[in-house]
Structures are given as structure tokens and as C-alpha cells.
Amino acid sequence: MPYLVLRLRWPLRFLALLLLALGIPSVTGYLMSGGEKTVLTAAPGPVYQGSAAKRLIALTFNVYWGEEYLPSILKLLREKRVKATFFLGGQWVEKFPELAQDIARDFEVGSHGYAHREPNHLSVADNLAEIRRAEAIIEGVTKKRPRLFAPPYGDCGPTVLEAAAQAGYRVILWSIDPVDWRNPPAAAISSKVISRAHNGAIVLLHPTAPTLEALPTIIEELRGRGFEFVTISELLAEAEAQPGR
């Protein structure tokens, strides 16, 4: 029994030393790695939502498919004067440059990576290569340089965060996800978004038929409740402007 106690104490001491020497973000990266190569990072964590101080809400669209529904979604957002942020996949932009340009004319553009790989399974170097390759394509086509990164599958492990930080990106996730990529009924999408709406919410959407059908109800209902639709950059700026930050 004494031998077992001694064996348990050393890992705890090691963890304490890591916390003191590297800080909590770095130790989190170390503990999350789980592979042969550990990653220590003090990079900022992902953004799930903005400030709760104001009734702001951000609609985001991850775009790697769904081009058949995008023109109608863009038309609706323009008619309703709704701001939104579109995270574009690099390979998708290569296939549909004119549609990417149309999105960038009136909406904020971010990156969804290049090839929609699983970022948590990639090294820092590979994640960095994916981000930079997507950036070059998106900027070349849209003339807008993305600075926001929505990682595929919502992966936000230490290699992802470190690569995004090195490339100068903020990692954006969400606080409301109606799982519209599974094509549930439009009423289910609108109900989930509306019922879970809160100040500073980030809503994850995709270009699907039921999402297009649900958008008018979402927009009308949330506006009726006093919400203002903003871009992710505006949401972040508002959060940064709050006292005490």
C-alpha cells in the first residue's frame, strides 16, 4: 500500500509543476494530446459566443457543399438586411469561384480550412498548411483575407489552436447548433434556434433546403424579440469593448 501511494504522488507533483511553469492553457494542450508527440500551447481557446451584454446574434454558414441552395440564401439575407458570416472551404472556392465572390460582396468571409480533413488528427504543421492554403485561395478569389477559422467538425484540439494562432486566426465555434446538415424538418431547425437564442449567440448553419425554409421564421421571430444580426467580427469587437476586459 505505501508503494502505491508513492507511485500516485509523482504524477500529481508533475502536474503541479507543469501548472506552475507553463500555465493552465499549456498544460491543457499537453493533457489533450494523447499521442506520441505532445503539444504545449498557450494559444487562445475557441470562441463559442459573444458578450451577454447586448441582444446581438450571429448567423454563420459553413460552406463545403450546398451550392445549389446558396443563391437563394444570399438573396433572402440581402432582402431581409441580415448580416452573416460564411466560412468557406478552400477546395469549394476553387470549384465555385463566382459564388464565393458573390458571398464576399455583402457578407463576412472566414475560412473552413482547405480539404475538410479532421484537424485534431493533424499535426501543427499540417493544420498550418491547410489554413494557409485555404487563405491563399479565398483571398485570391474574393479579395478578402480571412482572419476567422471555423475548423471542420468543430475540432479544436491543441494542434488546431496552435496552428490557428500561428496563422493569426481566431477559432470560431458556436453556442447553438440545430444540426441542419442532417436535413431535419425546417420547423425543427427554426424551433431549436429560436428557443435557444441568447445574447451573444453564435448559430451554426449550413446551406441546406430545410435551412433555407427555416430562415424567414428565424429572422422574423428573433427580430421580434429584439435581436440584432451581426457578423462574427462585430460580435468579437463588442465583447472586447465590454468593461473589465
Side-chain angles (χ1 to χ4, degrees):
M1 184 64 70
Y3 176 68
L4 177 60
V5 171
L6 288 173
R7 289 189 63 188
L8 291 174
R9 283 179 180 172
W10 167 239
L12 294 175
R13 289 176 183 171
F14 179 63
L15 178 58
L17 288 172
L18 276 175
L19 287 168
L20 290 173
L22 301 174
I24 291 175
S26 295
V27 175
T28 301
Y30 177 87
L31 293 175
M32 287 175 65
S33 64
E36 292 183 1
K37 294 183 178 179
T38 58
V39 174
L40 303 178
T41 179
V47 175
Y48 292 91
Q49 61 186 56
S51 169
K54 292 186 178 180
R55 229 154 161 70
L56 305 178
I57 193 165
L59 300 183
T60 70
F61 294 82
N62 285 357
V63 181
Y64 206 80
W65 39 261
E67 53 279 350
E68 63 269 39
Y69 305 111
L70 275 168
S72 296
I73 288 174
L74 297 177
K75 182 174 183 290
L76 173 64
L77 295 176
R78 287 178 173 128
E79 289 176 349
K80 300 291 186 180
R81 299 182 182 275
V82 172
K83 296 179 180 180
T85 301
F86 287 79
F87 292 96
L88 309 181
Q91 280 188 337
W92 183 88
V93 174
E94 287 178 323
K95 294 177 183 177
F96 304 98
E98 292 182 358
L99 192 47
Q101 289 169 354
D102 189 23
I103 291 170
R105 268 191 279 274
D106 294 307
F107 302 98
E108 181 170 52
V109 169
S111 173
H112 195 41
Y114 176 73
H116 213 277
R117 300 168 69 184
E118 296 183 52
N120 279 349
H121 294 169
L122 303 178
S123 66
V124 173
D126 286 343
N127 270 304
L128 196 55
E130 286 278 310
I131 293 171
R132 286 179 171 163
R133 187 175 183 184
E135 177 183 305
I137 293 165
I138 294 169
E139 184 176 13
V141 170
T142 69
K143 310 308 176 188
K144 289 185 176 182
R145 187 181 185 186
R147 277 295 167 258
L148 303 170
F149 177 48
Y153 310 104
D155 282 4
C156 57
T159 61
V160 184
L161 298 177
E162 180 62 26
Q166 288 186 22
Y169 283 73
R170 292 299 303 274
V171 175
I172 308 299
L173 295 184
W174 59 84
S175 60
I176 301 175
D177 178 11
V179 200
D180 59 345
W181 57 271
R182 290 182 176 173
N183 287 306
I189 295 173
S190 58
S191 175
K192 186 171 289 187
V193 173
I194 292 165
S195 65
R196 298 183 182 182
H198 59 87
N199 291 9
I202 297 176
V203 184
L204 173 62
L205 297 170
H206 300 80
T208 72
T211 299
L212 172 60
E213 184 182 345
L215 275 172
T217 301
I218 291 171
I219 293 167
E220 181 179 355
E221 184 67 25
L222 293 184
R223 273 190 170 151
R225 297 185 183 188
F227 282 99
E228 177 186 354
F229 293 97
V230 297
T231 65
I232 291 294
S233 290
E234 290 173 327
L235 201 66
L236 294 177
E238 178 62 32
E240 292 294 332
Q242 292 305 310
R245 292 188 61 87

